[in-house]
mmCIF file of all heavy atoms in Angstrom:
data_model
loop_
_atom_site.group_PDB
_atom_site.id
_atom_site.type_symbol
_atom_site.label_atom_id
_atom_site.label_comp_id
_atom_site.label_asym_id
_atom_site.label_seq_id
_atom_site.Cartn_x
_atom_site.Cartn_y
_atom_site.Cartn_z
ATOM 1 N N LEU A 34 9.251 1.330 29.042
ATOM 2 C CA LEU A 34 7.982 0.596 29.122
ATOM 3 C C LEU A 34 8.181 -0.915 29.060
ATOM 4 O O LEU A 34 7.428 -1.679 29.665
ATOM 5 C CB LEU A 34 7.053 1.022 27.972
ATOM 6 C CG LEU A 34 6.242 2.297 28.154
ATOM 7 C CD1 LEU A 34 5.609 2.690 26.828
ATOM 8 C CD2 LEU A 34 5.169 2.089 29.215
ATOM 9 N N ALA A 35 9.179 -1.340 28.298
ATOM 10 C CA ALA A 35 9.406 -2.777 28.119
ATOM 11 C C ALA A 35 9.605 -3.481 29.447
ATOM 12 O O ALA A 35 9.229 -4.655 29.609
ATOM 13 C CB ALA A 35 10.607 -3.006 27.206
ATOM 14 N N GLY A 36 10.153 -2.777 30.436
ATOM 15 C CA GLY A 36 10.401 -3.381 31.737
ATOM 16 C C GLY A 36 9.135 -3.836 32.440
ATOM 17 O O GLY A 36 9.173 -4.775 33.259
ATOM 18 N N ILE A 37 8.004 -3.206 32.141
ATOM 19 C CA ILE A 37 6.736 -3.585 32.771
ATOM 20 C C ILE A 37 6.318 -4.991 32.354
ATOM 21 O O ILE A 37 5.613 -5.684 33.088
ATOM 22 C CB ILE A 37 5.646 -2.552 32.422
ATOM 23 C CG1 ILE A 37 5.990 -1.206 33.072
ATOM 24 C CG2 ILE A 37 4.253 -3.022 32.836
ATOM 25 C CD1 ILE A 37 5.044 -0.072 32.704
ATOM 26 N N PHE A 38 6.786 -5.444 31.205
ATOM 27 C CA PHE A 38 6.367 -6.747 30.672
ATOM 28 C C PHE A 38 7.404 -7.840 30.925
ATOM 29 O O PHE A 38 7.221 -8.979 30.487
ATOM 30 C CB PHE A 38 6.097 -6.620 29.174
ATOM 31 C CG PHE A 38 4.972 -5.690 28.837
ATOM 32 C CD1 PHE A 38 5.193 -4.311 28.741
ATOM 33 C CD2 PHE A 38 3.694 -6.167 28.640
ATOM 34 C CE1 PHE A 38 4.156 -3.447 28.454
ATOM 35 C CE2 PHE A 38 2.645 -5.304 28.337
ATOM 36 C CZ PHE A 38 2.886 -3.946 28.252
ATOM 37 N N GLU A 39 8.497 -7.515 31.628
ATOM 38 C CA GLU A 39 9.610 -8.451 31.766
ATOM 39 C C GLU A 39 9.334 -9.615 32.719
ATOM 40 O O GLU A 39 9.661 -10.756 32.431
ATOM 41 C CB GLU A 39 10.866 -7.706 32.228
ATOM 42 C CG GLU A 39 11.567 -6.924 31.137
ATOM 43 C CD GLU A 39 12.011 -7.803 29.978
ATOM 44 O OE1 GLU A 39 12.541 -8.903 30.223
ATOM 45 O OE2 GLU A 39 11.803 -7.393 28.822
ATOM 46 N N ASN A 40 8.742 -9.355 33.870
ATOM 47 C CA ASN A 40 8.676 -10.381 34.916
ATOM 48 C C ASN A 40 7.699 -11.507 34.606
ATOM 49 O O ASN A 40 8.026 -12.692 34.717
ATOM 50 C CB ASN A 40 8.306 -9.738 36.256
ATOM 51 C CG ASN A 40 9.379 -8.801 36.754
ATOM 52 O OD1 ASN A 40 10.559 -9.027 36.507
ATOM 53 N ND2 ASN A 40 8.982 -7.729 37.427
ATOM 54 N N ASP A 41 6.471 -11.148 34.243
ATOM 55 C CA ASP A 41 5.432 -12.162 33.996
ATOM 56 C C ASP A 41 4.330 -11.511 33.155
ATOM 57 O O ASP A 41 4.440 -10.362 32.736
ATOM 58 C CB ASP A 41 4.862 -12.708 35.319
ATOM 59 C CG ASP A 41 4.357 -11.602 36.232
ATOM 60 O OD1 ASP A 41 3.690 -10.665 35.729
ATOM 61 O OD2 ASP A 41 4.641 -11.653 37.447
ATOM 62 N N TYR A 42 3.249 -12.277 32.929
ATOM 63 C CA TYR A 42 2.123 -11.775 32.150
ATOM 64 C C TYR A 42 0.873 -11.615 33.012
ATOM 65 O O TYR A 42 -0.246 -11.820 32.550
ATOM 66 C CB TYR A 42 1.844 -12.702 30.963
ATOM 67 C CG TYR A 42 2.958 -12.711 29.939
ATOM 68 C CD1 TYR A 42 3.739 -13.847 29.745
ATOM 69 C CD2 TYR A 42 3.234 -11.581 29.176
ATOM 70 C CE1 TYR A 42 4.776 -13.854 28.815
ATOM 71 C CE2 TYR A 42 4.257 -11.578 28.241
ATOM 72 C CZ TYR A 42 5.026 -12.710 28.061
ATOM 73 O OH TYR A 42 6.043 -12.710 27.139
ATOM 74 N N ASP A 43 1.076 -11.250 34.267
ATOM 75 C CA ASP A 43 -0.037 -10.988 35.183
ATOM 76 C C ASP A 43 -0.721 -9.696 34.720
ATOM 77 O O ASP A 43 -0.186 -8.588 34.872
ATOM 78 C CB ASP A 43 0.491 -10.832 36.611
ATOM 79 C CG ASP A 43 -0.610 -10.630 37.631
ATOM 80 O OD1 ASP A 43 -1.649 -10.015 37.287
ATOM 81 O OD2 ASP A 43 -0.442 -11.072 38.786
ATOM 82 N N THR A 44 -1.921 -9.819 34.170
ATOM 83 C CA THR A 44 -2.584 -8.665 33.563
ATOM 84 C C THR A 44 -2.953 -7.603 34.598
ATOM 85 O O THR A 44 -2.899 -6.395 34.302
ATOM 86 C CB THR A 44 -3.833 -9.100 32.791
ATOM 87 O OG1 THR A 44 -4.678 -9.887 33.645
ATOM 88 C CG2 THR A 44 -3.454 -9.923 31.561
ATOM 89 N N ASP A 45 -3.327 -8.018 35.806
ATOM 90 C CA ASP A 45 -3.659 -7.031 36.838
ATOM 91 C C ASP A 45 -2.442 -6.173 37.181
ATOM 92 O O ASP A 45 -2.534 -4.944 37.310
ATOM 93 C CB ASP A 45 -4.166 -7.728 38.108
ATOM 94 C CG ASP A 45 -5.555 -8.330 37.922
ATOM 95 O OD1 ASP A 45 -6.297 -7.846 37.032
ATOM 96 O OD2 ASP A 45 -5.899 -9.283 38.650
ATOM 97 N N ARG A 46 -1.289 -6.837 37.327
ATOM 98 C CA ARG A 46 -0.065 -6.098 37.631
ATOM 99 C C ARG A 46 0.307 -5.165 36.483
ATOM 100 O O ARG A 46 0.673 -3.995 36.699
ATOM 101 C CB ARG A 46 1.088 -7.074 37.903
ATOM 102 C CG ARG A 46 2.414 -6.370 38.198
ATOM 103 C CD ARG A 46 3.595 -7.329 38.143
ATOM 104 N NE ARG A 46 3.776 -7.946 36.837
ATOM 105 C CZ ARG A 46 4.324 -7.328 35.786
ATOM 106 N NH1 ARG A 46 4.740 -6.072 35.875
ATOM 107 N NH2 ARG A 46 4.446 -7.967 34.637
ATOM 108 N N ILE A 47 0.240 -5.670 35.266
ATOM 109 C CA ILE A 47 0.616 -4.863 34.105
ATOM 110 C C ILE A 47 -0.263 -3.618 34.008
ATOM 111 O O ILE A 47 0.230 -2.499 33.790
ATOM 112 C CB ILE A 47 0.542 -5.702 32.813
ATOM 113 C CG1 ILE A 47 1.637 -6.775 32.813
ATOM 114 C CG2 ILE A 47 0.679 -4.809 31.577
ATOM 115 C CD1 ILE A 47 1.521 -7.765 31.666
ATOM 116 N N ILE A 48 -1.576 -3.794 34.172
ATOM 117 C CA ILE A 48 -2.492 -2.658 34.098
ATOM 118 C C ILE A 48 -2.178 -1.638 35.191
ATOM 119 O O ILE A 48 -2.150 -0.415 34.947
ATOM 120 C CB ILE A 48 -3.960 -3.135 34.209
ATOM 121 C CG1 ILE A 48 -4.393 -3.844 32.920
ATOM 122 C CG2 ILE A 48 -4.894 -1.969 34.512
ATOM 123 C CD1 ILE A 48 -4.476 -2.930 31.706
ATOM 124 N N PHE A 49 -1.917 -2.126 36.400
ATOM 125 C CA PHE A 49 -1.612 -1.225 37.515
ATOM 126 C C PHE A 49 -0.345 -0.425 37.227
ATOM 127 O O PHE A 49 -0.306 0.804 37.397
ATOM 128 C CB PHE A 49 -1.456 -2.030 38.816
ATOM 129 C CG PHE A 49 -1.067 -1.200 40.006
ATOM 130 C CD1 PHE A 49 -1.982 -0.327 40.586
ATOM 131 C CD2 PHE A 49 0.216 -1.273 40.526
ATOM 132 C CE1 PHE A 49 -1.607 0.463 41.677
ATOM 133 C CE2 PHE A 49 0.593 -0.499 41.615
ATOM 134 C CZ PHE A 49 -0.328 0.377 42.195
ATOM 135 N N GLU A 50 0.694 -1.094 36.754
ATOM 136 C CA GLU A 50 1.963 -0.409 36.501
ATOM 137 C C GLU A 50 1.887 0.522 35.283
ATOM 138 O O GLU A 50 2.524 1.578 35.262
ATOM 139 C CB GLU A 50 3.087 -1.438 36.354
ATOM 140 C CG GLU A 50 3.375 -2.172 37.667
ATOM 141 C CD GLU A 50 4.541 -3.151 37.565
ATOM 142 O OE1 GLU A 50 5.220 -3.179 36.513
ATOM 143 O OE2 GLU A 50 4.773 -3.882 38.553
ATOM 144 N N LEU A 51 1.104 0.134 34.277
ATOM 145 C CA LEU A 51 0.890 1.051 33.156
ATOM 146 C C LEU A 51 0.173 2.313 33.632
ATOM 147 O O LEU A 51 0.477 3.420 33.179
ATOM 148 C CB LEU A 51 0.062 0.362 32.055
ATOM 149 C CG LEU A 51 0.781 -0.689 31.203
ATOM 150 C CD1 LEU A 51 -0.210 -1.393 30.277
ATOM 151 C CD2 LEU A 51 1.904 -0.062 30.367
ATOM 152 N N GLY A 52 -0.789 2.137 34.559
ATOM 153 C CA GLY A 52 -1.479 3.292 35.118
ATOM 154 C C GLY A 52 -0.534 4.203 35.880
ATOM 155 O O GLY A 52 -0.613 5.439 35.768
ATOM 156 N N LEU A 53 0.388 3.596 36.639
ATOM 157 C CA LEU A 53 1.391 4.401 37.348
ATOM 158 C C LEU A 53 2.250 5.183 36.360
ATOM 159 O O LEU A 53 2.563 6.362 36.572
ATOM 160 C CB LEU A 53 2.269 3.490 38.212
ATOM 161 C CG LEU A 53 1.625 2.856 39.458
ATOM 162 C CD1 LEU A 53 2.614 1.914 40.133
ATOM 163 C CD2 LEU A 53 1.165 3.937 40.437
ATOM 164 N N PHE A 54 2.652 4.519 35.291
ATOM 165 C CA PHE A 54 3.499 5.159 34.278
ATOM 166 C C PHE A 54 2.740 6.303 33.606
ATOM 167 O O PHE A 54 3.291 7.381 33.350
ATOM 168 C CB PHE A 54 3.945 4.117 33.251
ATOM 169 C CG PHE A 54 4.978 4.603 32.279
ATOM 170 C CD1 PHE A 54 6.336 4.453 32.552
ATOM 171 C CD2 PHE A 54 4.616 5.225 31.095
ATOM 172 C CE1 PHE A 54 7.294 4.906 31.660
ATOM 173 C CE2 PHE A 54 5.564 5.682 30.196
ATOM 174 C CZ PHE A 54 6.901 5.520 30.484
ATOM 175 N N TRP A 55 1.482 6.068 33.322
ATOM 176 C CA TRP A 55 0.636 7.049 32.632
ATOM 177 C C TRP A 55 0.237 8.196 33.565
ATOM 178 O O TRP A 55 0.035 9.330 33.145
ATOM 179 C CB TRP A 55 -0.603 6.336 32.078
ATOM 180 C CG TRP A 55 -1.549 7.163 31.283
ATOM 181 C CD1 TRP A 55 -1.259 8.087 30.324
ATOM 182 C CD2 TRP A 55 -2.981 7.150 31.380
ATOM 183 N NE1 TRP A 55 -2.420 8.636 29.798
ATOM 184 C CE2 TRP A 55 -3.493 8.068 30.427
ATOM 185 C CE3 TRP A 55 -3.892 6.442 32.165
ATOM 186 C CZ2 TRP A 55 -4.854 8.306 30.260
ATOM 187 C CZ3 TRP A 55 -5.251 6.656 31.981
ATOM 188 C CH2 TRP A 55 -5.724 7.586 31.044
ATOM 189 N N GLY A 56 0.101 7.870 34.853
ATOM 190 C CA GLY A 56 -0.276 8.874 35.838
ATOM 191 C C GLY A 56 -1.749 8.909 36.164
ATOM 192 O O GLY A 56 -2.213 9.797 36.884
ATOM 193 N N LYS A 57 -2.520 7.935 35.654
ATOM 194 C CA LYS A 57 -3.953 7.863 35.915
ATOM 195 C C LYS A 57 -4.377 6.395 36.011
ATOM 196 O O LYS A 57 -3.676 5.504 35.510
ATOM 197 C CB LYS A 57 -4.761 8.537 34.791
ATOM 198 C CG LYS A 57 -4.514 10.013 34.610
ATOM 199 C CD LYS A 57 -5.386 10.541 33.484
ATOM 200 C CE LYS A 57 -5.108 12.003 33.203
ATOM 201 N NZ LYS A 57 -5.952 12.514 32.085
ATOM 202 N N THR A 58 -5.535 6.172 36.612
ATOM 203 C CA THR A 58 -6.085 4.824 36.680
ATOM 204 C C THR A 58 -6.663 4.432 35.326
ATOM 205 O O THR A 58 -7.424 5.200 34.709
ATOM 206 C CB THR A 58 -7.198 4.741 37.749
ATOM 207 O OG1 THR A 58 -6.638 5.073 39.025
ATOM 208 C CG2 THR A 58 -7.796 3.339 37.803
ATOM 209 N N ILE A 59 -6.304 3.253 34.840
ATOM 210 C CA ILE A 59 -6.860 2.728 33.592
ATOM 211 C C ILE A 59 -8.160 2.003 33.930
ATOM 212 O O ILE A 59 -8.162 1.040 34.697
ATOM 213 C CB ILE A 59 -5.861 1.784 32.906
ATOM 214 C CG1 ILE A 59 -4.621 2.573 32.465
ATOM 215 C CG2 ILE A 59 -6.508 1.084 31.713
ATOM 216 C CD1 ILE A 59 -3.513 1.722 31.884
ATOM 217 N N LYS A 60 -9.245 2.478 33.370
ATOM 218 C CA LYS A 60 -10.576 1.969 33.724
ATOM 219 C C LYS A 60 -11.081 0.980 32.669
ATOM 220 O O LYS A 60 -11.026 1.275 31.468
ATOM 221 C CB LYS A 60 -11.567 3.126 33.855
ATOM 222 C CG LYS A 60 -11.177 4.144 34.912
ATOM 223 C CD LYS A 60 -12.119 5.336 34.882
ATOM 224 C CE LYS A 60 -11.685 6.400 35.888
ATOM 225 N NZ LYS A 60 -12.550 7.607 35.831
ATOM 226 N N PRO A 61 -11.576 -0.179 33.121
ATOM 227 C CA PRO A 61 -12.123 -1.162 32.172
ATOM 228 C C PRO A 61 -13.235 -0.548 31.318
ATOM 229 O O PRO A 61 -14.116 0.143 31.854
ATOM 230 C CB PRO A 61 -12.671 -2.265 33.079
ATOM 231 C CG PRO A 61 -11.971 -2.094 34.380
ATOM 232 C CD PRO A 61 -11.681 -0.622 34.508
#
Side-chain angles (χ1 to χ4, degrees):
L34 278 169
I37 293 175
F38 297 84
E39 283 301 317
N40 294 328
D41 54 43
Y42 294 112
D43 183 328
T44 53
D45 289 336
R46 179 193 61 77
I47 292 172
I48 287 293
F49 177 72
E50 293 183 7
L51 286 173
L53 289 176
F54 189 91
W55 183 43
K57 297 181 184 179
T58 299
I59 295 175
K60 300 174 183 177

